[in-house]
Amino acid sequence: MATKRTGSKNAKHDRGRRSLRQSLAKGREGQLAWVIGACARVLRPLVRLALAFGVKHAHLEELLRDILVDEARRAWGEKGTEPNISQLSVTTGLNRKVVTTMVREEAASLPQTEMSAEAKTLTFWLQMFSDNPAHRSLPVVSADESVPSFEAVARRASRGNVHHRAILDELVRLHMATEHDGNTELAVAGFVPASDLKGMLSFLGDNSRDHLLASVSNTIGERPPMLERSVFAAGLSLEECERIHQLARQRWDGLHHELTREMRRAYEAADQTASGRIRVGIYTYYEDAAVEKAPPPAAPPKSSGENA
């Protein structure tokens, strides 16, 4: 009888452990589903971009595999460990053969927007123009150091690392400045290289990356919360959406100049070893939700001779 009682207790204990494991598994599966749902929302506009430029599944699969391994290495490295093949395989879900045979070629990367001498120079020039509208036009060079010139602006903005002529030529190519009779003039209100696909893709990648990094950091709690806020509404007319869009643009202009001034001061006060970077942004997006959510047209019925 004692044996039966002991067996009964062990059986109950085993059932309890199985129930706990199942409960934890369900909870884990629920979290995975939430994370995958968030990833789907983030990836959808990126897939739209990819399809617009002819990117195929194989390209995206290879990209995802490379990023998985890179981020797995980063995660292990933050724990003070140089991961081996098995650890990378377990972390990423890729089999050992795939991880081992991955070819790490240096891809042609997009330029980093925060490192662009053109962006730094134009931002500084725009700040000067905001403080004094007469600075919309500058002499390219000036023998009198008391007279602001594009050469001086470019040298100060790039810390003398890039020749002013190269910077001006690039700004003219991007239709952000004009040059005539030894003078150059601002042609835009911000560094948005709309005529340069590579430049636009650089900003898309950098702006989206940093916005998501702030959101991810706040979600997983790896550091004190960063500013990441939005306001939103549905059920508005498209005309009202556009009116609010323009209001946001107007309000951003003032904050933009204030932030630019503060970043310029911090940049000039920092020494050559300073490695911090910061990006502050704002965005507006609106659409006709009824059109966006409309079901796709039904596929034409297949004839009896078609393959499924």
Side-chain angles (χ1 to χ4, degrees), residues 219-231:
T219 300
I220 64 181
E222 63 182 10
R223 64 175 71 182
M226 292 188 178
L227 175 64
E228 202 267 326
R229 298 285 186 272
S230 66
V231 291

Side-chain angles (χ1 to χ4, degrees), residues 266-280:
Y267 176 73
E268 294 182 341
D271 59 34
Q272 295 288 346
T273 63
S275 59
R277 72 176 186 89
I278 185 171
R279 185 182 300 258
V280 181

Side-chain angles (χ1 to χ4, degrees), residues 159-303:
R159 287 180 171 166
N161 292 326
V162 183
H163 194 276
H164 75 277
R165 186 71 253 176
I167 296 174
L168 180 56
D169 286 346
E170 183 64 7
L171 292 178
V172 170
R173 184 187 73 82
L174 294 172
H175 307 294
M176 295 182 177
T178 59
E179 182 183 5
H180 49 82
D181 299 330
N183 290 291
T184 182
E185 185 172 322
L186 276 170
V188 292
F191 191 85
V192 182
S195 61
D196 180 54
L197 177 60
K198 189 174 184 180
M200 287 294 287
L201 289 171
S202 295
F203 272 99
L204 184 156
D206 287 347
N207 289 338
S208 301
R209 174 203 61 201
D210 285 353
H211 186 175
L212 286 172
L213 284 174
S215 297
V216 170
S217 176
N218 291 345
T219 300
I220 64 181
E222 63 182 10
R223 64 175 71 182
M226 292 188 178
L227 175 64
E228 202 267 326
R229 298 285 186 272
S230 66
V231 291
F232 42 88
L236 287 66
S237 69
L238 293 180
E239 291 76 15
E240 282 295 286
C241 290
E242 177 58 23
R243 182 184 65 80
I244 296 169
H245 176 207
Q246 294 305 320
L247 173 63
R249 281 183 175 276
Q250 294 166 10
R251 296 296 177 87
W252 168 250
D253 284 344
L255 180 59
H256 170 266
H257 292 306
E258 183 180 354
L259 290 170
T260 299
R261 185 178 294 109
E262 291 302 312
M263 290 182 188
R264 169 57 48 192
R265 290 173 181 168
Y267 176 73
E268 294 182 341
D271 59 34
Q272 295 288 346
T273 63
S275 59
R277 72 176 186 89
I278 185 171
R279 185 182 300 258
V280 181
I282 185 173
Y283 69 93
T284 300
Y285 179 74
Y286 68 87
E287 65 186 6
D288 187 340
V291 173
E292 187 69 16
K293 294 179 181 178
K302 295 180 179 180
S303 65

Side-chain angles (χ1 to χ4, degrees), residues 125-188:
W125 190 2
L126 286 167
Q127 186 63 58
M128 291 174 58
F129 168 66
S130 175
D131 295 338
N132 184 352
H135 289 152
R136 174 184 288 276
S137 179
L138 297 172
V140 176
V141 295
S142 174
D144 185 352
E145 293 186 357
S146 65
V147 177
S149 67
F150 182 84
E151 178 187 24
V153 171
R155 183 173 61 249
R156 185 176 175 185
S158 68
R159 287 180 171 166
N161 292 326
V162 183
H163 194 276
H164 75 277
R165 186 71 253 176
I167 296 174
L168 180 56
D169 286 346
E170 183 64 7
L171 292 178
V172 170
R173 184 187 73 82
L174 294 172
H175 307 294
M176 295 182 177
T178 59
E179 182 183 5
H180 49 82
D181 299 330
N183 290 291
T184 182
E185 185 172 322
L186 276 170
V188 292

Side-chain angles (χ1 to χ4, degrees), residues 14-70:
D14 290 342
R15 287 196 298 270
R17 285 193 300 180
R18 284 197 300 270
S19 176
L20 178 60
R21 286 197 298 269
Q22 291 169 355
S23 176
L24 291 174
K26 288 180 180 179
R28 181 64 175 167
E29 289 173 1
Q31 282 190 344
L32 288 175
W34 300 339
V35 173
I36 290 172
C39 289
R41 294 185 187 182
V42 171
L43 287 173
R44 187 170 297 277
L46 298 180
V47 170
R48 185 176 300 179
L49 172 72
L51 292 177
F53 288 93
V55 177
K56 306 301 182 186
H57 171 268
H59 302 135
L60 294 175
E61 183 180 37
E62 181 179 2
L63 174 65
L64 180 59
R65 186 173 64 242
D66 290 348
I67 293 175
L68 276 169
V69 173
D70 284 346

